[in-house]
Amino acid sequence: MTAIAGKGLTLEEYLKCDDGTDSQYELVAGELVAIPPESPKNAQISLFLLINFLKFVPVNQLSNKVEIVVAGSRATTRIPDLVVLTDELATALEGATRSTITLDMPPPALVVEVVSPGKANEDRDYRYKRSEYAARGIAEYWIVDPQINVVTVLILVDGFYEETRFTGNSAIASTIFPELQLTAEQVLNAGESNAGNAIS
């Protein structure tokens, strides 16, 4: 991601920003940071998970566009690759002009980040977002990493995440979706090699 002008923006200023393009930005410590388009592989993984999550929640509780305001000394927002909303949060967002989960709204049930190559992306997903999402009270955080073929599931326990790493044919264990039947390999391959097993 490349930082652009806008250092020192407040959350209110950021929410009013519109550069007239379809570009996406996160606000990180008051600074606008452009988000590059996802790779086809990452987009396929997000779509595969969305399709599988739809077996358990209605479409209005899933989003790949919503942004989350996270707590911090300077205004920061994050746009996860996939977000599962609670009933209460979906209701709170109804009729909103912008898909922004503010600090006065309930936290999402689950967020998914698909890691892009590069140390900056790894640090953001594994370190910064981990602490931000925990502080925001998000019950479950998935880090899907195609670079090392690992799906890390983080469960919030007493304000901190406890992590479990899944690889190969390991079945992913989720507290939000206990009936989910997906292996790490199915997710990382976006169901390509065994789509028949993933979707019944």
Side-chain angles (χ1 to χ4, degrees):
M1 295 206 294
T2 306
I4 63 171
K7 196 172 178 67
L9 285 178
T10 65
L11 179 63
E12 291 72 24
E13 290 168 336
Y14 163 75
L15 293 175
K16 292 176 186 171
C17 280
D18 184 358
D19 66 356
T21 72
D22 290 332
S23 299
Q24 279 195 312
Y25 301 94
E26 288 182 333
L27 184 66
V28 181
E31 185 172 348
L32 274 182
V33 179
I35 302 174
E38 290 288 343
S39 70
K41 172 79 170 176
N42 285 19
Q44 285 169 7
I45 289 171
S46 296
L47 184 58
F48 176 74
L49 285 172
L50 186 148
I51 290 166
N52 278 278
F53 289 172
L54 275 171
K55 297 174 184 178
F56 306 102
V57 292
V59 69
N60 72 320
Q61 286 182 235
L62 287 169
S63 177
N64 57 1
K65 296 290 185 186
V66 74
E67 63 185 341
I68 303 169
V69 179
V70 294
S73 57
R74 300 183 68 183
T76 298
T77 63
R78 296 299 189 183
I79 305 175
D81 291 301
L82 187 60
V83 179
V84 180
L85 312 177
T86 61
D87 286 329
E88 189 182 1
L89 182 52
T91 300
L93 284 169
E94 278 178 14
T97 56
R98 182 175 176 135
S99 293
T100 303
I101 300 171
T102 55
L103 290 172
D104 60 345
M105 293 180 182
L110 185 154
V111 295
V112 177
E113 297 286 3
V114 184
V115 184
S116 297
K119 187 175 187 310
N121 294 315
E122 290 172 20
D123 285 348
R124 188 172 64 251
D125 291 341
Y126 281 100
R127 295 178 57 199
Y128 306 127
K129 289 183 181 180
R130 178 177 178 143
S131 58
E132 290 164 354
Y133 292 160
R136 188 65 179 83
I138 298 170
E140 192 164 315
Y141 172 29
W142 289 28
I143 304 171
V144 182
D145 195 336
Q147 278 65 245
I148 58 172
N149 290 317
V150 173
V151 177
T152 304
V153 174
L154 302 149
I155 307 294
L156 194 64
V157 178
D158 297 329
F160 295 94
Y161 281 128
E162 293 185 357
E163 74 171 59
T164 307
R165 292 161 66 93
F166 299 93
T167 59
N169 289 318
S170 301
I172 295 169
S174 166
T175 56
I176 302 300
F177 298 123
E179 296 174 5
L180 186 71
Q181 294 184 327
L182 285 178
T183 66
E185 186 177 39
Q186 284 174 313
V187 172
L188 291 158
N189 291 333
E192 285 177 13
S193 61
N194 42 17
N197 296 331
I199 300 177
S200 52

